[in-house]
Amino acid sequence: ISGARLTMGKSDFKSAFKTLPVKEEQEWLTYALIFNPSAERLQVVKLYSQVFGSIGAVVAWNRTAKLIKGIMEELFQIPIFSYVDDFFFVIPQFETQDGRTSANWLADVFEEIVSDIMGWALDDEKRATGTDMVLLGMNVGMEIGCSTWSVNWHKGQEWLADIDEILERDWLTPAHASK
């Protein structure tokens, strides 16, 4: 639809890393060393759900995200962008025959594929569609022929507090270093 305003949407998965199947040859990545306070000793345990940030979870989720993106692109010719377990799309704005906006229609198609067919749960509270929204800490607006981007005020305050804390302490925690 030439000259149409663009609209966008986002979806987020619920507990994506906790529900991942592990490839058999990567099963060794699911073991962790923990301290058992009852036995007062260290123990090796096999985790039956993935810990967020574990190597096995990242590898398994990357395969899953590629599959979902491939389905959307190959079957529906719709590019979907992902960042970890957040998925985003941009589509020309129009109204469908049943009165839905194009963004709501696409969000419904995405949900049908990943939830109803593949069995993944999406977080309804994080689903959004429209021409203006917050994506990964950025205010994004869609116009005809361009998009506008700015740091979200609340996220900016959080980032400034993190930077101030790091500068005051003069060293990085592993969590801050990974960001």
Side-chain angles (χ1 to χ4, degrees):
I1 302 174
S2 179
R5 185 174 183 163
L6 296 175
T7 186
M8 60 192 147
K10 65 179 180 177
S11 290
D12 192 356
F13 285 73
K14 275 189 180 177
S15 305
F17 287 93
K18 294 179 182 174
T19 55
L20 284 170
V22 178
K23 217 172 172 184
E24 195 171 314
E25 63 265 19
Q26 294 173 338
E27 193 173 285
W28 65 275
L29 295 170
T30 64
Y31 290 93
L33 181 65
I34 64 164
F35 180 75
N36 181 337
S38 299
E40 295 184 351
R41 64 183 175 93
L42 292 172
Q43 286 183 261
V44 173
V45 297
K46 182 176 181 182
L47 303 173
Y48 291 98
S49 66
Q50 295 289 344
V51 175
F52 185 80
S54 72
I55 294 172
V58 172
V59 172
W61 181 254
N62 189 45
R63 285 194 326 268
T64 303
K66 282 184 175 182
L67 170 68
I68 293 167
K69 288 172 63 169
I71 289 170
M72 295 301 292
E73 289 175 14
E74 293 296 320
L75 295 180
F76 300 101
Q77 307 299 303
I78 299 169
I80 298 286
F81 311 98
S82 65
Y83 180 78
V84 189
D85 64 347
D86 297 333
F87 283 71
F88 315 97
F89 63 83
V90 176
I91 189 171
Q93 190 173 18
F94 60 88
E95 194 171 294
T96 63
Q97 289 179 345
D98 63 2
R100 289 183 290 173
T101 66
S102 53
N104 283 330
W105 169 81
L106 183 49
D108 290 344
V109 169
F110 185 77
E111 184 173 353
E112 175 93 15
I113 290 167
V114 300
S115 292
D116 299 342
I117 295 174
M118 299 177 76
W120 292 88
L122 294 175
D123 189 339
D124 290 333
E125 292 180 16
K126 293 185 179 178
R127 174 181 163 156
T129 59
T131 56
D132 295 288
M133 68 179 58
V134 177
L135 299 176
L136 303 173
M138 299 294 293
N139 297 321
V140 180
M142 294 305 224
E143 304 294 334
I144 294 175
C146 71
S147 63
T148 58
W149 297 71
S150 63
V151 175
N152 177 268
W153 189 86
H154 295 289
K155 193 51 109 170
Q157 295 302 308
E158 181 183 318
W159 291 338
L160 283 173
D162 286 347
I163 291 168
D164 286 343
E165 179 187 336
I166 291 164
L167 290 173
E168 186 176 314
R169 203 176 41 236
D170 199 30
W171 59 273
L172 288 172
T173 64
H176 282 123
S178 71
K179 288 182 179 180

